[in-house]
Structures are given as C-alpha cells and as structure tokens.
Amino acid sequence: MKEISGIQLSLDGNFLYTHEDHGNENEIYVFNLKGELLRKVRIDGAVNKDWEDISQDKQGFTYIGDFGNNDNLRENLAIYKVKIDAADHTPVLQTTTFYYPEQTGFPPRKKELFYDCEAFFEHRGFFYLFTKNRSKGFDSTSLIYKIPNKPGYYKAELLGKLKPGGNFDEAAITGADISPDGKTVALITHQNVLLLEDYQGDDFVHAKIRKIDLEHTSQKEGICFKGNHQLLIADERASKIGGFLYQLCLN
C-alpha cells in the first residue's frame, strides 16, 4: 500500500484493517498479520475525501475518520461507522459530522493552522481527535477534541492542548489509538511514539507523556494496539523508504 493512512486490529486479533487517504478508493483493505492482502471491502455511501485514521469500539464496529484537512479549508468533516465482515462491500451505518468552534477562518492565518487531523480513536461512546499542527513557526501544539459517537452534526469540544515538544517530524501527530484497558493512549509521529499515561478519565491534556524515539524517520501514519503492551505501526511507501508494518513491545 503506497499511501496507507490508518490501521486497526480486528476485535479477534486476526486481521488488520487499513485504508489510504485522499484520492484513493472508498475501500478498507483486510490483511493478515503476515502482510498478505485477503480482500477489499468497498464502503457504500461514503466518498474518500481524505480518510486519515480508523478506529474500533468494543462491539467490533469500525469508524473511518474523513477529516484530513491539510490546508485547513474543509467544512465537511465526518466520521463513518461501518461493520466489516466477510462481504466485499458494506454500507455506512452512521455518519457523524462536526466542526471546530475555534476555527473562524477557512483557512486561518498561517500561524494558526491547527485544524488538520489525522489521529483519533473511539472510547466509551465518544471520539477523541488529536489535530496535526501545520502552523508557521511549528511549536508542537496539538488540539484535543471530543465528539459524541452519535449520528448528527456536532460542535467539537476542545479539551485542551497537548505540547510534547520537538520539530515537525518528532511531534506532528499522524495517528492514535487507546489500549484495550483504557490506560494508555499511543500517538505516532514520523519519528516518535508518544504514550499518554497516568490520566484520570479522559483528561488526556494532563497525562504524563512518555516519548519513544524510534531512531527512524518515515511517513508513519498508522498505529494501533495489539493487546495492552504491544503496538503495530505502518508507514507510507515513498521511493525506497517505508511500506512496512512494524511491531513495538512497550515492556
């Protein structure tokens, strides 16, 4: 997959669901953990404007984040709910659309380009989004938003700002997931894994940040938990770099 943009492990742990971003098909690709493509699942009722991440709830429903917004111009941000099974196509079961109330310009000023997003997860009936900072004078700030997992149009609730520090490759967030036990949030950048730990409820803003330097820079855009102590990471293929699935043991 050249432009892999999100990965999610199936509820039974046997399959990996992936997708590509802007300009690619409205499809979820199902792989085994050896990297072999098993089938393509077409999503009926949704267009891949810019699918940037994928998540799953405890009931096994899959969510596609169509909220890529490189130029901070979009006003049609959406999350689609689907059920992936043995069929080669599946309908959208729920559409959640939303807006960021803090964004008043489309686009904002170059130093306020905070409203691209490539990272989210579903947790206890809500979606949590971590924006990708594209502002001039990058300072590692990511905005954390909360949206109800319900059909309709919602004002995203700003929970606060996360500022892990570092340059764009080190700190611009491109994927997210939460561990099955809900105790750890994992964020991926081109170079680092950022683990949010020791938070209360969904107060991720005040979490302890543990940074793992992967000592390797590529366009890493997919991350998901495999159990509570392992991560799967995927990167886009560019020239001779990337196009791989990696496993990281946290303990």
Side-chain angles (χ1 to χ4, degrees), residues 69 71-75 77 99-100 103-108 115:
N69 193 16
D71 298 321
N72 285 226
L73 287 170
R74 284 184 65 181
E75 298 184 61
L77 309 172
Y99 68 98
Y100 305 114
Q103 182 175 5
T104 56
F106 295 87
Y115 303 102

Side-chain angles (χ1 to χ4, degrees), residues 177-188:
D177 198 17
I178 191 167
S179 59
D181 62 11
K183 294 182 179 180
T184 308
V185 170
L187 308 173
I188 187 70

Side-chain angles (χ1 to χ4, degrees), residues 46-103:
V47 175
N48 188 345
K49 296 184 179 70
D50 197 358
W51 294 2
E52 284 292 355
D53 205 1
I54 188 170
S55 186
Q56 190 170 237
D57 64 20
K58 298 292 187 182
Q59 290 72 48
F61 289 101
T62 296
Y63 300 90
I64 303 166
D66 188 0
F67 40 51
N69 193 16
N70 288 9
D71 298 321
N72 285 226
L73 287 170
R74 284 184 65 181
E75 298 184 61
N76 55 353
L77 309 172
I79 298 169
Y80 303 117
K81 177 181 180 178
V82 300
K83 185 71 172 179
I84 306 297
D85 52 28
D88 60 1
H89 63 93
T90 191
V92 171
L93 303 175
Q94 170 185 296
T95 300
T96 303
T97 56
F98 64 94
Y99 68 98
Y100 305 114
E102 288 72 27
Q103 182 175 5

Side-chain angles (χ1 to χ4, degrees), residues 109-128:
R109 294 181 297 176
K110 290 184 179 180
K111 64 179 182 180
E112 297 174 346
L113 297 176
F114 297 113
Y115 303 102
D116 183 20
C117 185
E118 299 185 6
F120 89 125
F121 55 81
E122 200 279 347
H123 182 56
R124 296 178 178 174
F126 291 91
F127 301 118
Y128 294 90

Side-chain angles (χ1 to χ4, degrees), residues 132-160:
K132 184 177 183 179
N133 187 341
R134 294 183 177 275
S135 301
K136 182 179 180 180
F138 180 86
D139 67 353
S140 84
T141 297
S142 172
L143 306 181
I144 306 177
Y145 282 99
K146 180 179 181 179
I147 301 166
N149 179 0
K150 296 179 181 179
Y153 181 55
Y154 295 95
K155 177 173 72 173
E157 176 188 355
L158 179 63
L159 297 183

